[in-house]
Amino acid sequence: MATNCSPSLFLPLRGTFSYKNKRHQLAAWVHSNAYIIEDDYEWEFKYQNDYLPSIQSLYPEKIIYIGRLSKALVPVFNLSYLVLPYDVLSLFHSKVAEYDQPVSRLDQLTFSQYLSDGYWYKQLQKMRETYEEKRKVFFEAISQYMKHVAKAEGKDMGLHTFLTVKTDKTEAELIGLGIQKGVKVYGTSRYWFHTEKKYPTVLLGYGALSANDIHNGIKLLAEAWFE
């Protein structure tokens, strides 16, 4: 969600609901196959105490692990990382010997020092507190204005959520009505393999918004969709 139609960045999140068992099943399956590529984007924005470990931490010899720090740091740094199993690492060095690293060496060394001195951990703790408060306001507003007409999923992680709206309106209509109120939401139909859904699901984000913007944005969407 972006009030006044300002741009926001959203990506699907990794939830905790039934994924713990699925992750162990994946890790067991991969032993008899090749590799799993695990994109752990937004891992740092996890709000509940039962932290969900990466699959790579369970079976590092079979997981190609990637991530980015664009949400937790200034995006202009464009820092990302790749953790490879040892056998893949040797292959990487032999096949991509002349890989041109686009991130400034100074930025890499600066972050390395920032990390080793403990400041990165302190920043994560502060960010989690800030975004957890925004998340609380977000779901309070959903409960206040859309309690019986919408269902939110992905509540424990990330800076956005999926909202399934109990309405006869289409996804495109929901997006259009939101824009008319100055609130931008995002469609999700292109991500689904099976489209026989009873109700449309849209993507809303709150990371870049103030508590007041979040509250007003949800109120405006409720007016646009249900009045």
Side-chain angles (χ1 to χ4, degrees):
M1 177 183 68
T3 57
N4 297 324
C5 297
S6 59
S8 296
L9 295 176
F10 306 107
L11 284 177
L13 76 169
R14 185 185 68 182
T16 59
F17 30 100
S18 62
Y19 283 5
K20 286 186 178 180
N21 290 336
K22 289 181 179 179
R23 295 159 77 78
H24 282 284
Q25 291 170 9
L26 271 174
W29 169 86
V30 81
H31 267 296
S32 60
N33 293 274
Y35 299 94
I36 288 177
I37 298 177
E38 180 180 13
D39 186 350
D40 212 10
Y41 188 68
E42 286 190 354
W43 66 269
E44 60 267 40
F45 300 112
K46 175 73 171 64
Y47 307 115
Q48 294 184 354
N49 293 327
D50 55 335
Y51 182 75
L52 188 65
S54 65
I55 307 175
Q56 191 270 346
S57 68
L58 302 174
Y59 294 94
E61 70 278 6
K62 283 291 187 176
I63 310 297
I64 297 173
Y65 185 76
I66 60 177
R68 294 170 299 287
L69 304 175
S70 59
K71 286 290 184 71
L73 289 176
V74 180
V76 71
F77 286 138
N78 197 29
L79 282 170
S80 58
Y81 50 89
L82 173 68
V83 181
L84 297 173
Y86 282 115
D87 53 344
V88 180
L89 181 62
S90 60
L91 183 63
F92 177 85
H93 284 310
S94 65
K95 299 294 185 180
V96 200
E98 298 182 0
Y99 172 64
D100 184 18
Q101 169 58 260
V103 179
S104 163
R105 181 67 60 87
L106 178 61
D107 288 344
Q108 295 182 61
L109 293 174
T110 300
F111 179 71
S112 176
Q113 190 67 45
Y114 188 70
L115 182 66
S116 62
D117 287 346
Y119 293 112
W120 171 242
Y121 176 76
K122 292 179 181 179
Q123 178 180 331
L124 287 182
Q125 293 298 99
K126 184 176 182 179
M127 284 193 304
R128 283 174 182 149
E129 292 175 2
T130 298
Y131 289 121
E132 186 171 14
E133 184 60 33
K134 291 185 179 184
R135 169 180 169 268
K136 180 180 178 182
V137 172
F138 183 89
F139 286 104
E140 285 176 349
I142 292 290
S143 179
Q144 179 176 351
Y145 296 110
M146 303 184 188
K147 186 173 183 179
H148 302 295
V149 290
K151 179 182 178 181
E153 297 182 79
K155 301 179 180 181
D156 64 333
M157 194 171 185
L159 304 178
H160 62 277
T161 188
F162 295 102
L163 190 69
T164 298
V165 185
K166 299 177 182 179
T167 179
D168 293 331
K169 297 180 176 66
T170 66
E171 176 187 286
E173 289 174 330
L174 294 179
I175 295 172
L177 289 170
I179 289 176
Q180 290 178 21
K181 287 285 190 176
V183 183
K184 187 174 183 180
V185 299
Y186 299 82
T188 65
S189 58
R190 59 182 174 172
Y191 301 121
W192 297 96
F193 287 110
H194 304 290
T195 57
E196 302 84 14
K197 295 187 62 180
K198 185 176 181 180
Y199 299 116
T201 298
V202 293
L203 188 65
L204 297 84
Y206 50 86
L209 305 177
S210 67
N212 188 58
D213 287 338
I214 293 169
H215 189 274
N216 289 338
I218 297 300
K219 181 180 179 181
L220 288 170
L221 286 177
E223 293 173 356
W225 293 347
F226 304 112
E227 292 185 3

